[in-house]
C-alpha cells in the first residue's frame, strides 16, 4: 500500500495499539489509584469540614439558648430583688408601726405610773399634812399658846416641806 | 465505578485491542522496498531506508521508540502502583505531590473545558500528555538500534514518525467522536463531523512540530564545529520545549473539542421559557 509521505496504515494501527495499551496501563496502575486516593481524601476533608460546621452551628445554638436563659435569669433576679425590696419595705413599715405602738404603750404606762406616783405622793403628803395638822393641833391644844403654836405649826410644816 | 460499568469498560478495552490487532494483520501485505536516498534530512522525514525489524515486520524506528516508551512507562506505573501508592499519606511527600499534581492538572484541564462529562476525558489526556512528553524526551536518551540494512540508528521520538503522529491525531479525533456520540447522541456526532479537518490538523501539527525539532537539531549537528557543546543546550532545550508545548497543545485541543461536542444542547422549549422569563 503506497501512500505519499511514507504513510503506512499498518504502522499507524501499531502506534494506535501501542497507545491503547499505554492508556490502559496508565489508567489502571497510575491515574485511577491516584485519583481515587485524592477523591477519598477530599471527601474525608469535606466530611470533616461539614462536621466542624455542624458542631459550630450546634455551639452557636447552645450559646444562643444559654444567653436566653441568662437573660431570663437576670430578669428573674431583678424581679426577686424588687419583690424582696417590697417585702423589706413592708416589714420596715410593720416594724416601725410596732415600734411606734410599743413606744406609745411605754409612754402610756409611764404616764399611768407617773400619775399613780403623783397620786401616791399627794396621798402621802396629804396624810403627812394631816399628821402634822393633828400633831400641831394636839400641841396647840396642849400648850394653849396659840400664836406660838401657830408659829410652831408653820415651822413644822416648813421643815416637812424642806425634808421632802 | 459500579461492577457493571467496570466489566463493560474492560470488555470495550479488550475488544478495541483485538480490533486493532486484526487490522494490523489484515493490512500487513508485503510492501515493495523503498528506494535508497542519500540525504539524511529526507530520511529523517520519510524513513524510507532505515527500517527496523519488529516481529518480522519492517517498521520505522519511531514505532520501536513508541513501544519502548510504553514499556518504560508500564514498568514505572506498575512499580509506583505496588510500592508507592499503598504508602500514600494525607500530607503528600515530594513524589506523591508530583503524581497528585500531574493527575490534578489533567483533571483540572478536563473539568475546565468539559464541565459536564470529563471522567474519561481526563484519563485520556493524562495518558496522551504523558505519552507525548515522555516520548519526545525519549529521543534525548539516544538508544541505538540496528536497522535491517545493518546500519545503526538512534531511536527518535515516536511522534516524529508520521505514522505515530497520525495515530495520535486520528486516535484523538476518534476519541472526541466517540465521546460526542456517547454523551450527546446525534448532536455529538454532527458536532464532531463538522470539525472534519481536526484529525489532519492535529496529526500534522504533532508531526511537523516534532520533526522540525529533530531537523533543526540535525542541522545544528551537521557542521563539525557546532557539534561540540552546543547540542547540549540546543538539543535539550528544543526537545524539552517541544515535549511540553506539544503535550499541552494536544491535551488542550482534545479537551476543548470534547467539551464542545459533549455539551448538552438546550431544548427549544427551555430556551423560549428562558426568553419569556427575561422579558
Amino acid at each position: 500500500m503506497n501512500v505519499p509521505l511514507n504513510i503506512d496504515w499498518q504502522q499507524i494501527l501499531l502506534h494506535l495499539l501501542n497507545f491503547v495499551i499505554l492508556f490502559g496501563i496508565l489508567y489502571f496502575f497510575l491515574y485511577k489509584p491516584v485519583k481515587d486516593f485524592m477523591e477519598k481524601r477530599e471527601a474525608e476533608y469535606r466530611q470533616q469540614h461539614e462536621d466542624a460546621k455542624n458542631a459550630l452551628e450546634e455551639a452557636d445554638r447552645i450559646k444562643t439558648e444559654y444567653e436566653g436563659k441568662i437573660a431570663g435569669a437576670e430578669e428573674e433576679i431583678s424581679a426577686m430583688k424588687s419583690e424582696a425590696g417590697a417585702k423589706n419595705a413592708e416589714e420596715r413599715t410593720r416594724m416601725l408601726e410596732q415600734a411606734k405602738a410599743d413606744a406609745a404603750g411605754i409612754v402610756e404606762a409611764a404616764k399611768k405610773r407617773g400619775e399613780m406616783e403623783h397620786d401616791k405622793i399627794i396621798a402621802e403628803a396629804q396624810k403627812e399634812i394631816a399628821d402634822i395638822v393633828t400633831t400641831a393641833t394636839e400641841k396647840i391644844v396642849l400648850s394653849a399658846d396659840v400664836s406660838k403654836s401657830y408659829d410652831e405649826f408653820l415651822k413644822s410644816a416648813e421643815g416637812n416641806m424642806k425634808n421632802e | 465505578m459500579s461492577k457493571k460499568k467496570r466489566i463493560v469498560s474492560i470488555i470495550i478495552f479488550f475488544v478495541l485491542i483485538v480490533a486493532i490487532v486484526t487490522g494490523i494483520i489484515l493490512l500487513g501485505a508485503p510492501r515493495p522496498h523503498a528506494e535508497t536516498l542519500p540525504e539524511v534530512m529526507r530520511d529523517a522525514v520519510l524513513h524510507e531506508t532505515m527500517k527496523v525489524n519488529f516481529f518480522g515486520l519492517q517498521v520505522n524506528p519511531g514505532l520501536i521508540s513508541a513501544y519502548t516508551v510504553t514499556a518504560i512507562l508500564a514498568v514505572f506505573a506498575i512499580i509506583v502502583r505496588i510500592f508507592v501508592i499503598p504508602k500514600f499519606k494525607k500530607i503528600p511527600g515530594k513524589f506523591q505531590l508530583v503524581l497528585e499534581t500531574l493527575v490534578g492538572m489533567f483533571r483540572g484541564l478536563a473539568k475546565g473545558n468539559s464541565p459536564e462529562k470529563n471522567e474519561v476525558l481526563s484519563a485520556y489526556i493524562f495518558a496522551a500528555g504523558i505519552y507525548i512528553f515522555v516520548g519526545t524526551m525519549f529521543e534525548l536518551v539516544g538508544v541505538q538500534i540496528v536497522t535491517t540494512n545493518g546500519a545503526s540508528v538512534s531511536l527518535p521520538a515516536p511522534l516524529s514518525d508520521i505514522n505515530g503522529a497520525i495515530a495520535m491525531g486520528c486516535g484523538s479525533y476518534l476519541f472526541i467522536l466517540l465521546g460526542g456520540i456517547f454523551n450527546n447522541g446525534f448532536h455529538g456526532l454532527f458536532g464532531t463531523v463538522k470539525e472534519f479537518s481536526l484529525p489532519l490538523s492535529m496529526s500534522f501539527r504533532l508531526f511537523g512540530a516534532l520533526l522540525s525539532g529533530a531537523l533543526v537539531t540535525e542541522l545544528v549537528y551537521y557542521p563539525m564545529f557546532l557539534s561540540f557543546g552546543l547540542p547540549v543546550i540546543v538539543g535539550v532545550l528544543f526537545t524539552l520545549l517541544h515535549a511540553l508545548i506539544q503535550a499541552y497543545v494536544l491535551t488542550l485541543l482534545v479537551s476543548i473539542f470534547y467539551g464542545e461536542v459533549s455539551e448538552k444542547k438546550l431544548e427549544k422549549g427551555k430556551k423560549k421559557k428562558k426568553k419569556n422569563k427575561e422579558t
Side-chain angles (χ1 to χ4, degrees):
Chain A
M1 209 180 285
N2 276 324
V3 185
L5 284 171
N6 199 16
I7 293 169
D8 186 337
W9 300 113
Q10 190 186 32
Q11 286 190 46
I12 289 173
L13 283 179
L14 278 169
H15 272 287
L16 210 57
L17 172 73
N18 170 62
F19 183 70
V20 171
I21 292 170
L22 181 70
F23 171 77
I25 289 170
L26 284 182
Y27 179 73
F28 286 108
F29 289 104
L30 209 61
Y31 178 79
K32 198 170 173 290
V34 175
K35 188 198 79 172
D36 286 351
F37 178 83
M38 285 166 76
E39 277 178 353
K40 200 177 150 194
R41 187 178 54 192
E42 196 183 325
E44 208 170 299
Y45 281 139
R46 190 168 289 147
Q47 183 63 41
Q48 276 181 12
H49 175 72
E50 201 68 27
D51 288 349
K53 203 176 147 193
N54 287 343
L56 208 64
E57 276 173 8
E58 179 71 14
D60 273 347
R61 195 186 60 73
I62 291 170
K63 190 186 163 198
T64 318
E65 196 182 310
Y66 277 98
E67 274 175 356
K69 275 185 182 176
I70 286 169
E74 273 173 1
E75 271 175 21
E76 207 173 322
I77 286 167
S78 67
M80 281 168 81
K81 265 185 185 173
S82 59
E83 197 182 335
K87 269 187 181 175
N88 271 348
E90 199 180 314
E91 185 72 11
R92 201 171 57 232
T93 316
R94 195 187 62 74
M95 282 170 79
L96 207 62
E97 291 293 321
Q98 181 73 35
K100 275 181 183 172
D102 286 355
I106 290 165
V107 169
E108 192 65 30
K111 265 184 185 174
K112 272 183 184 173
R113 205 164 52 239
E115 276 172 9
M116 278 168 72
E117 201 75 20
H118 179 258
D119 288 350
K120 194 180 160 189
I121 289 166
I122 296 290
E124 276 177 5
Q126 278 174 352
K127 194 185 165 193
E128 274 180 22
I129 289 166
D131 286 348
I132 291 165
V133 169
T134 311
T135 315
T137 309
E138 276 173 3
K139 275 183 181 175
I140 290 163
V141 171
L142 288 174
S143 66
D145 188 355
V146 176
S147 62
K148 204 178 171 187
S149 300
Y150 187 73
D151 284 342
E152 278 179 6
F153 168 71
L154 283 176
K155 275 180 188 173
S156 167
E158 201 175 333
N160 278 337
M161 290 285 274
K162 273 181 185 171
N163 284 338
E164 279 181 9
Chain B
M1 196 188 274
S2 67
K3 201 178 173 184
K4 199 180 165 188
K5 265 189 174 178
R6 193 181 297 167
I7 292 167
V8 170
S9 51
I10 289 169
I11 290 171
I12 289 174
F13 179 67
F14 282 108
V15 165
L16 204 60
I17 287 177
V18 169
I20 294 169
V21 170
T22 317
I24 292 163
I25 294 162
L26 289 177
L27 290 169
R31 295 185 309 106
H33 285 289
E35 58 183 351
T36 311
L37 287 169
E39 293 91 357
V40 178
M41 305 288 271
R42 186 178 167 84
D43 190 64
V45 179
L46 300 172
H47 298 289
E48 283 171 329
T49 49
M50 299 295 190
K51 294 285 179 189
V52 182
N53 188 13
F54 181 68
F55 297 110
L57 294 169
Q58 304 277 309
V59 297
N60 297 339
L63 188 67
I64 307 297
S65 304
Y67 278 90
T68 315
V69 167
T70 297
I72 292 168
L73 283 174
V75 171
F76 172 77
I78 290 166
I79 288 172
V80 168
R81 178 70 189 91
I82 294 170
F83 297 108
V84 181
I85 291 176
K87 290 178 187 165
F88 265 14
K89 289 171 188 161
K90 274 186 190 171
I91 300 163
K94 281 177 190 167
F95 186 61
Q96 186 184 340
L97 196 64
V98 170
L99 288 178
E100 284 188 10
T101 309
L102 265 179
V103 172
M105 191 176 75
F106 286 111
R107 285 184 81 197
L109 189 65
K111 272 184 188 170
N113 291 304
S114 174
E116 287 178 23
K117 303 273 179 186
N118 49 45
E119 272 306 305
V120 189
L121 172 67
S122 55
Y124 181 84
I125 59 172
F126 175 78
I130 286 181
Y131 176 60
I132 295 171
F133 180 76
V134 178
T136 310
M137 293 305 286
F138 177 72
E139 76 177 3
L140 281 182
V141 181
V143 178
Q144 296 293 315
I145 194 164
V146 181
T147 58
T148 46
N149 57 11
S152 172
V153 64
S154 172
L155 282 182
L159 297 169
S160 67
D161 178 2
I162 193 163
N163 299 319
I166 289 175
M168 196 70 225
C170 293
S172 297
Y173 181 75
L174 206 66
F175 173 75
I176 295 167
L177 182 73
L178 287 175
I181 292 169
F182 275 117
N183 295 320
N184 222 357
F186 179 74
H187 285 295
L189 176 70
F190 182 70
T192 321
V193 173
K194 207 169 63 179
E195 305 287 345
F196 58 89
S197 64
L198 193 61
L200 209 65
S201 68
M202 280 206 289
S203 306
F204 283 91
R205 179 181 293 113
L206 271 177
F207 175 60
L210 294 171
L211 190 70
S212 64
L215 290 182
V216 170
T217 316
E218 287 283 347
L219 277 175
V220 173
Y221 288 180
Y222 198 73
M224 196 63 172
F225 69 98
L226 284 178
S227 57
F228 298 101
L230 194 63
V232 176
I233 301 163
V234 176
V236 172
L237 273 185
F238 278 11
T239 315
L240 194 65
L241 277 176
H242 275 122
L244 285 172
I245 294 168
Q246 290 314 310
Y248 179 68
V249 168
L250 186 113
T251 52
L252 184 71
L253 281 176
V254 172
S255 304
I256 290 170
F257 283 105
Y258 188 94
E260 203 175 297
V261 298
S262 63
E263 187 185 30
K264 293 275 178 211
K265 302 280 180 232
L266 282 174
E267 286 168 24
K268 283 182 182 175
K270 281 184 184 174
K271 274 186 181 174
K272 276 181 185 173
K273 273 183 188 175
K274 270 196 171 179
K275 275 187 181 177
N276 286 339
K277 273 187 184 176
E278 280 169 8
T279 51

